[in-house]
Amino acid sequence: MSESRTVPAETVDGRQRPADPAPSARTPTWWVWLAAWPVTAVFVLSNAATPLYVLWQRDIGFSKGTLTVVFALYIVGLLGSLLVSGVVSDRLGRKPVLLPALALALAACAIFATAATVTALVVARLFTGIAVGAVVSAGMAAVTDVAGPERRRLAALLASCAMVFGAGLGPLLAGVLSEMLPAPTVTVFVVEAVLLATAVLAVLRMPVRRPAPSGKGAWVRVPGVPHGNGVHLALGVAVFAPGITATSFVLSLGPTLLAELLGTTSRIVSGAMAFVMFLAATGVQFAVRTLRRITILTAGAISTVLSMAALITAVHASSVLLLVASALLAGAGQGMGQLGGLSLLNSAVPPQRLAEANAALNVGGYLPAGLLPVSTGYLMDAVGLPTGATVFGSVLTTLAVVGALVVLGGHRRVPEPA
């Protein structure tokens, strides 16, 4: 029997990085796929409530302004979670973060299914945001840990696709179940609770070890990356942030646009548009996975620019086809920005800081994704849908162009890793 070999340790930020396990000791590839399932399950919950708010508004009775607050509490929970979950995961391990996150997600399902007040919806969305923040840091890092050093590109691909596929499956599942089965605001979350229960089983059996100590510092802090990896983070955020902001706009205001352009309030139609958007985000990542990371990021920025051009044209021409095209391009932009950013971090950041680095990437993306669409909603109330959408599209086009310039100007400082 041959001897087990290890990869030599590296020095990172003044500390020695533990040697990676030998390729012969790596886990089976099916475990890498299964490790991504908890990410998918939680992201199904993240958008599952979107098609149902019209029902809660009818049954409970609350204004559009109150609905905006319910949406905002999700972002508050997510960003608050990102301030701590990455650091805790890197110090204590992936499972001590993922299991409580899944428990919170299950609690959110129970609250959604029995919600009879706005307070209940606020608490459920807050719990959902906290759970999502945990899985985008600890969950995605767990996929990389299971994959091992020789499958980091596969890990980045599966973790990223798990996120966007779950985000798209949630509203589609909710739209279909709520239209076709009784108790629409209950059935959806019973099904989602079953999915989350299987994710708990996957985490309990997941072959991940507690990471090596990652140094001292506050447990609650704005997540960051080790010295020397700032450029990797900056390039990822430059493209991921405009991309996820575009998809957030479609999620939050897409049903309103459909109602204006198509005259429909069908939950299946709005859920299907979100699903095809994230299906595009998933498919494009498999299509470009072998390209250079800088090429992927540049293409992601271009896709977001084209998405905004289609959006502006759609609202002025009252074209449903262009609106769908805008959603597909937005999904592609987020998918490529996310894949490029995660892949750069996976290739350069040591394992004991990877969850925190993932959290930093998502903080950079979700801040504009939370602020710009909500601001645009209020702007549309004041100046009308076409003008509001045009302003949003113009601002995001500028951000995406700046992102492309950052990538093109900074790629020489990031050697393309193997």
Side-chain angles (χ1 to χ4, degrees):
M1 186 170 65
S2 59
E3 288 187 2
S4 174
R5 296 181 296 113
T6 57
V7 179
E10 304 170 25
T11 299
V12 179
D13 200 16
R15 294 185 296 274
Q16 193 177 53
R17 172 178 171 176
D20 287 316
S24 58
R26 70 182 188 176
T27 55
T29 300
W30 64 265
W31 248 120
V32 185
W33 286 78
L34 188 57
W37 171 241
V39 179
T40 299
V42 172
F43 268 91
V44 168
L45 176 64
S46 71
N47 293 328
T50 300
L52 305 177
Y53 285 115
V54 63
L55 298 177
W56 283 312
Q57 279 186 293
R58 182 197 66 196
D59 296 338
I60 300 174
F62 54 87
S63 67
K64 291 181 180 178
T66 301
L67 179 58
T68 302
V69 173
V70 174
F71 270 101
L73 262 294
Y74 168 79
I75 299 295
V76 170
L78 189 151
L79 292 176
S81 177
L82 290 173
L83 295 180
V84 63
S85 58
V87 175
V88 172
S89 173
D90 286 334
R91 293 184 181 181
L92 300 184
R94 313 309 182 202
K95 292 183 181 182
V97 173
L98 288 175
L99 291 174
L102 289 168
L104 272 181
L106 284 165
C109 285
I111 297 170
F112 272 131
T114 58
T117 64
V118 172
T119 300
L121 295 177
V122 166
V123 172
R125 286 295 285 174
L126 182 65
F127 282 6
T128 302
I130 295 171
V132 168
V135 300
V136 297
S137 52
M140 291 183 169
V143 179
T144 302
D145 291 348
V146 171
E150 293 195 347
R151 293 178 291 188
R152 285 178 180 168
R153 290 199 73 143
L154 174 64
L157 175 65
L158 293 183
S160 185
C161 287
M163 173 181 167
V164 293
F165 182 72
L169 183 59
L172 178 64
L173 187 67
V176 172
L177 293 179
S178 67
E179 292 274 11
M180 301 182 66
L181 296 177
T185 59
V186 177
T187 307
V188 171
F189 297 105
V190 171
V191 172
E192 168 59 5
V194 173
L195 300 181
L196 289 168
T198 64
V200 171
L201 295 177
V203 171
L204 288 172
R205 299 296 303 274
M206 191 180 294
V208 289
R209 298 177 181 176
R210 180 173 174 173
S214 58
K216 298 180 180 180
W219 286 80
V220 180
R221 65 190 188 209
V222 176
V225 293
H227 179 73
N229 295 133
V231 64
H232 302 90
L233 177 63
L235 295 183
V237 170
V239 180
F240 176 53
I244 197 172
T245 303
T247 57
S248 295
F249 176 85
V250 174
L251 283 173
S252 59
L253 295 170
T256 300
L257 293 174
L258 281 173
E260 293 280 343
L261 300 179
L262 195 59
T264 179
T265 57
S266 168
R267 296 187 293 277
I268 294 179
V269 172
S270 61
M273 187 171 75
F275 177 71
V276 297
M277 176 176 70
F278 286 114
L279 190 63
T282 304
V284 75
Q285 292 181 68
F286 280 95
V288 304
R289 67 187 186 280
T290 59
L291 299 179
R292 297 174 67 245
R293 294 171 174 90
I294 299 304
T295 302
I296 294 172
L297 287 170
T298 305
I302 293 172
S303 185
T304 301
V305 170
L306 294 176
S307 170
M308 292 301 98
L311 172 67
I312 294 171
T313 307
V315 297
H316 287 283
S318 297
S319 171
V320 174
L321 288 178
L322 282 175
L323 179 62
V324 173
S326 174
L328 292 173
L329 288 164
Q334 178 189 331
M336 288 186 280
Q338 186 171 296
L339 176 62
L342 283 174
S343 187
L344 280 175
L345 293 177
N346 276 6
S347 69
V349 176
Q352 62 268 31
R353 292 290 301 277
L354 186 56
E356 185 183 355
N358 289 343
L361 176 67
N362 281 279
V363 166
Y366 275 103
L367 275 174
L371 294 174
L372 287 180
V374 171
S375 302
T376 302
Y378 281 109
L379 181 63
M380 285 180 175
D381 288 338
V383 301
L385 187 148
T387 302
T390 300
V391 171
F392 173 83
S394 300
V395 170
L396 203 60
T397 295
T398 302
L399 292 177
V401 170
V402 170
L405 294 176
V406 168
V407 170
L408 293 174
H411 77 278
R412 292 182 180 85
R413 297 176 56 191
V414 183
E416 186 70 11

